[in-house]
Amino acid sequence: MTKTSLICGSLATDTIMQFPGRFGESLLADQLHKVNVSFLVPTMRTEFGGCSGNIAYSLKMLGGDPRIVGVMGQDSAAYLERLQKLGISTANILIKADSYNAQCFVTADADNNQINAFHPGAMSFAHENPIANAGPAKVAIISPDGDQGMLKHAADLAELGIPFMFDPGQQLPRFNGDQLIDFINKATYVSANDYEMEMLMERTGLTLPEIASRLDALIVTRGEKGSEIYTDGKRIDIPVVAAKEVLDPTGCGDAYRAGLLFGITNDLGWETSGRLASLLGAIKIATQGAQNHVFTPESIAEQFEAAFGYRY
């Protein structure tokens, strides 16, 4: 049986700029109705990102077989070349020649306050990229993407009989209660952080146990408090793994989900899958950027044994 994981979600580039001062020193509280300011940013870096790219990056290093189903624009060449060098298939990435890649422009100040602008670009056309073209898979994930694409991919995966994880992330507010209930009913797994989980319950009117009862597993992450996996009527508590450094949380959730997908495709069981996911989040947070951490299957196995006392 195939161990391929279909990774549906955004592919984006992040431009991150650092303002050495403080935004508050340039913004007048009584003049915010007519803001016209410019910040000098001596340092700037560009990072590869987007949920599907981040998940596929970590899953490939684990030894998984990710296949991205996403959309990119006319400026996709560098990102496509990177994915190909990593051995990640680009065959199911749709190119929209009249659009740009999804892009986030981040300006941070000395206190780590941020002013962000996000351009969805080609991501908005996710619904034009058919899931069926990606071939068979053991599991799929619907991560944040164009909202029409997320709806269509859920319907298509259900029709194809491919189990999938619904991971709405920052796109959750785009859906109403009925749409979210439909996602839950079609999905095999749902993954959300604690804030998203509260919003999911508020929007759907369902309690956490009611949501979990409709799924094979409900995964709730709680940052430094670890995570919980609800399955078969019980709760599995997943401990947090101490990070060597806490440098950048960007992409930590995506690394965590890569661990879950690897566990599902290799039948590791939920306790081991959750612990592997927790380890990957700790490794990612110690590195700047969402796709700059490096490991091998062997090094991960060793770190897992050191953290939990057994090999997966």
Side-chain angles (χ1 to χ4, degrees), residues 84-276:
Q84 289 160 2
K85 286 182 177 178
L86 292 168
I88 297 172
S89 173
T90 59
N92 295 100
I93 296 176
L94 175 67
I95 305 300
K96 297 293 289 186
D98 56 350
S99 296
Y100 290 97
N101 292 345
Q103 299 182 51
C104 188
F105 300 90
V106 181
T107 303
D109 74 358
D111 294 326
N112 284 323
N113 297 308
Q114 292 186 351
I115 296 175
N116 299 341
F118 182 74
H119 172 64
M123 185 184 88
S124 301
F125 299 93
H127 57 284
E128 296 183 9
N129 196 2
I131 282 282
N133 290 353
K138 184 165 184 178
V139 68
I141 183 170
I142 296 177
S143 61
D145 206 348
D147 52 345
Q148 292 182 63
M150 294 174 74
L151 289 164
K152 188 172 190 310
H153 290 159
D156 291 349
L157 286 166
E159 184 176 343
L160 291 166
I162 297 175
F164 72 88
M165 180 178 295
F166 177 50
D167 172 31
Q170 65 267 30
Q171 287 291 75
L172 196 155
R174 302 279 295 178
F175 303 109
N176 61 39
D178 288 341
Q179 289 171 322
L180 290 168
I181 289 172
D182 191 54
F183 273 121
I184 292 167
N185 289 341
K186 287 184 170 74
T188 310
Y189 323 100
V190 167
S191 178
N193 64 31
D194 46 4
Y195 178 82
E196 293 159 357
M197 193 65 221
E198 291 296 325
M199 182 179 291
L200 190 60
M201 290 189 290
E202 188 274 331
R203 286 276 172 103
T204 62
L206 299 173
T207 66
L208 190 151
E210 287 171 340
I211 294 172
S213 71
R214 303 183 182 205
L215 302 161
D216 284 8
L218 170 63
I219 302 98
V220 182
T221 60
R222 301 188 182 277
E224 71 278 2
K225 296 180 181 178
S227 51
E228 303 154 4
I229 299 177
Y230 298 84
T231 182
D232 290 332
K234 61 180 183 294
R235 186 182 86 180
I236 302 172
D237 292 315
I238 304 297
V240 70
V241 176
K244 291 182 179 179
E245 293 183 88
V246 178
L247 290 182
D248 182 6
T250 307
C252 285
D254 297 327
Y256 183 100
R257 282 147 185 80
L260 294 178
L261 293 174
F262 184 84
I264 292 168
T265 55
N266 288 276
D267 302 315
L268 297 184
W270 284 112
E271 185 162 2
T272 295
S273 298
R275 290 180 172 190
L276 178 61

